[in-house]
Amino acid sequence: MSQLTQKAIVETTIRLVEQKTVKKITVRDIVEACGITRNTFYYYFHDIYEVLELALAAGFERIGEESDTFEDFLASSFAFCIEYQKVLYNLYHSVGYEPLADYLKKQVRPHLLRYLQSIRIDSRYLAEDEKLICVLCEEALVGTLMRWVCNPRRTTDPQEIAHASARIKSYFTNALQRVTTNQQTKEREEI
């Protein structure tokens, strides 16, 4: 029963946030729509933002688990943003650019690191390089997602989204190749 109640709260909150900004939604709106008490809401969540955090985290976790390749991850991330475009747009207008972007980075980071580790071109490059590349790619991906979320005339055209995904993938791969080349050059100079 408890998971059903928690799921109902999340789904109801998502539906409400699709209609208006988070600042205009109250816990009362949620509990009335769910048919539960305020105490029940607060048993599961501290506030509306925690509900949304759980929903978004679950979405990105699902994307990460279902994505075998970086291309899959990018495509699924954009598909997720299309599915939740109204929620993300209203959340952006409630919390602002930085908090939403920071949250998305936190969700994307483990998946980027996992991908990086799975495609190492050369195991000799340094972990610091890997972290730097991850940060750069994280910024590129989340920046692209945020530009898309913030644009009221955003596209849902699969070709445009595929093009953006290909550019991010290309950037990511090129960065890895450069690090490997630089590391090999350093090693030759040391000999």
Side-chain angles (χ1 to χ4, degrees), residues 3 32 83 90 142 175 180 191:
Q3 284 186 329
E32 286 177 0
E83 181 182 347
N90 287 335
V142 171
T180 301
I191 294 177

Side-chain angles (χ1 to χ4, degrees), residues 19-32:
Q19 300 166 12
K20 54 188 174 181
T21 64
V22 180
K23 290 180 181 179
K24 293 184 179 179
I25 297 171
T26 64
V27 170
R28 183 179 190 168
D29 296 333
I30 296 168
V31 299
E32 286 177 0

Side-chain angles (χ1 to χ4, degrees), residues 74-134:
L74 288 173
S76 296
S77 295
F78 277 104
F80 177 79
C81 287
I82 289 170
E83 181 182 347
Y84 286 95
Q85 63 183 311
K86 290 179 183 175
V87 172
L88 292 168
Y89 186 71
N90 287 335
L91 194 53
Y92 158 70
H93 281 288
S94 294
V95 299
Y97 185 94
E98 281 298 318
L100 183 56
D102 288 345
Y103 180 76
L104 290 175
K105 288 174 195 172
K106 186 173 98 176
Q107 296 304 314
V108 165
R109 186 173 300 125
H111 305 295
L112 287 174
L113 280 170
R114 180 174 54 94
Y115 176 72
L116 247 179
Q117 292 164 352
S118 73
I119 62 159
R120 281 189 177 151
I121 296 167
D122 189 323
S123 62
R124 293 177 289 179
Y125 68 86
L126 303 173
E128 294 82 32
D129 292 331
E130 188 174 270
K131 289 176 187 173
L132 177 60
I133 293 168
C134 186

Side-chain angles (χ1 to χ4, degrees), residues 4-20:
L4 290 176
T5 304
Q6 189 176 31
K7 184 178 179 183
I9 293 169
V10 170
E11 289 173 355
T12 300
T13 304
I14 293 294
R15 274 196 320 276
L16 291 170
V17 175
E18 285 177 341
Q19 300 166 12
K20 54 188 174 181

Side-chain angles (χ1 to χ4, degrees), residues 45-58:
F45 301 101
H46 289 99
D47 57 22
I48 296 169
Y49 293 102
E50 187 177 2
V51 177
L52 294 171
E53 184 173 336
L54 176 72
L56 294 175

